[in-house]
């Protein structure tokens, strides 16, 4: 059976390994088909593709787009994209655009909470100045000993109701799916188990996603529990979605699930890679 990992991050967004190092780790872990899916950014694609080719690893160009839907942040993964597509490139540039100002607001809130200089501190962890994210702030709070690890940070800071949380308007669902499709790619709902939506809202969301031309959801992801593997396999069957598998690996020190290490997709679903 093929080991397929279609979701992970490099220093081009909020991962700690460069694209070529992520490729090497995927290969070492036995991955056969691999996609790098940095947040709102395709700058790592050429390095990732070249590294994968040198390793004999089948590479799929990818991205993870931040979307605001019904006031919630939702992530949409695009796979098999042409990363040079002008609409996609421009759309991602606009989506990244507000991050720096948001980061200054996050730092101002943290300063009020007794943590000064967090913008400069987070910046030390940033690999791509265009993509400062909450993860970089989380690493700074761990660095200064404020929290033991990044998951503790997200329980006390940077999330709704906590210091350092700044609501942000990302791309619309329609924009994200259209950019991915215009670039010849397939749109996949990332880690559906993470969104706090009622059953009714989830139904509206999946229906709209499907109507826009979205084709798959992540069933096996580092964010899901075993119960959620089974639950989202059923959701995929109910809506006629293909199923994806991706660790969402960010860092050897932080990620619960390593590249290629998830269980295989259940037999009941059709893999998103079935015709690749
Ligand atoms: P941003 O795009 O700046 O809002 O940052 C989102 C990133 O923060 C996600 O892609 C994760 O890498 C990280 N993140 C968000 N919530 C958590 C959490 N509860 N635990 C660990 N990482 C998180
Ligand atoms: Mn991330
Ligand atoms: Mn995500
Ligand atoms: Mn991700």
């Amino acid at each position: 059976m093929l080991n397929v990992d279609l979701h992970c991050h490099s220093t081009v967004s909020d991962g700690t390994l460069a694209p070529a190092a992520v490729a090497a780790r995927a290969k070492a872990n036995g991955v056969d088909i691999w996609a790098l899916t940095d947040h709102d950014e395709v700058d790592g694609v050429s390095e990732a593709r070249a590294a994968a080719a040198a390793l004999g690893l089948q590479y799929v160009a990818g991205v993870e787009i931040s979307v605001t839907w019904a006031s919630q942040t939702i992530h949409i993964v695009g796979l098999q994209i042409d990363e040079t597509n002008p609409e996609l490139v421009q759309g991602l540039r606009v989506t990244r655009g507000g991050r720096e100002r948001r980061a200054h607001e996050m730092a101002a809130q943290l300063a009020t909470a007794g943590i000064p200089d967090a913008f400069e501190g987070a910046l030390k962890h940033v690999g791509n100045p265009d993509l400062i994210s909450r993860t970089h702030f989380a690493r700074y709070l761990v660095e200064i000993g404020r929290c033991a690890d990044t998951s503790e940070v997200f329980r006390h800071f940077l999330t709704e109701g906590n210091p350092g949380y700044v609501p942000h308007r990302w791309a619309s669902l329609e924009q994200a799916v259209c950019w991915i499709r215009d670039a010849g790619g397939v749109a996949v709902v990332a880690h559906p188990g993470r969104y706090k939506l009622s059953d009714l809202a989830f139904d509206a969301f999946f229906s709209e996603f499907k109507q826009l031309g979205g084709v798959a959801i992540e069933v096996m992801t580092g964010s899901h529990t075993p119960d959620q593997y089974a639950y989202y396999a059923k959701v995929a069957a109910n809506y006629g979605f293909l199923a994806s598998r991706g660790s969402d690996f960010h860092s050897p020190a932080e990620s619960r699930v390593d590249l290629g290490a998830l269980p295989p997709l259940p037999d009941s679903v059709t893999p998103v890679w079935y015709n690749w």
Side-chain angles (χ1 to χ4, degrees), residues 7 9 14 37 39 64-66 73-77 190-191 194-195 218 221 223 248 250:
H7 187 151
H9 299 273
D14 60 350
T37 55
H39 296 286
E64 181 176 19
I65 305 180
S66 309
T73 297
I74 304 262
H75 288 169
I76 302 295
V77 164
H191 41 64
R194 268 176 45 179
Y195 311 128
E218 287 183 348
T221 142
S223 297
D248 208 357
H250 283 70

Side-chain angles (χ1 to χ4, degrees), residues 92-104:
L92 294 179
R93 185 178 298 127
V94 172
T95 305
R96 288 192 301 272
R99 280 185 178 271
E100 186 171 347
R101 203 177 58 120
R102 169 190 186 232
H104 281 293

Side-chain angles (χ1 to χ4, degrees), residues 217 232-241 268-269:
I217 65 171
Y232 287 101
K234 277 201 203 126
V235 168
N238 288 345
Y239 288 89
F241 288 135
S268 59
V269 297

Side-chain angles (χ1 to χ4, degrees), residues 108-193:
Q109 279 194 28
L110 291 171
T112 304
I115 303 165
D117 304 323
F119 183 84
E120 295 72 18
L123 213 51
K124 285 191 288 171
H125 294 270
V126 166
N128 171 3
D130 251 17
L131 212 122
I132 180 161
S133 90
R134 285 186 290 160
T135 312
H136 302 113
F137 281 86
R139 291 189 183 130
Y140 176 63
L141 295 192
V142 173
E143 180 199 328
I144 62 172
R146 190 64 192 239
C147 293
D149 55 38
T150 54
S151 42
E152 189 188 323
V153 175
F154 284 103
R155 282 197 298 276
H156 300 288
F157 300 95
L158 312 177
T159 43
E160 208 169 338
N162 293 313
Y165 177 70
V166 177
H168 194 71
R169 186 152 197 95
W170 303 105
S172 71
L173 181 63
E174 182 175 10
Q175 286 174 320
V177 175
C178 286
W179 296 334
I180 291 165
R181 295 186 67 200
D182 280 352
V186 294
V188 183
V189 178
H191 41 64

Side-chain angles (χ1 to χ4, degrees), residues 188 215-219 233 236 241-245 265-266 269-273:
V188 183
V215 298
I217 65 171
E218 287 183 348
V219 169
F241 288 135
L242 302 173
S244 193
R245 174 177 185 263
L265 282 176
V269 297
T270 305
V272 67
W273 59 86

Side-chain angles (χ1 to χ4, degrees), residues 25 28 30 34 45 52 96 106 124 140 152 187 192 207 211 215 224 227 229 236 258 274:
R25 192 176 181 96
W34 170 62
V45 168
R96 288 192 301 272
M106 288 164 60
K124 285 191 288 171
Y140 176 63
E152 189 188 323
S207 301
Q211 195 240 320
V215 298
H224 283 174
D227 283 351
Y229 302 155
D258 207 335
Y274 81 97

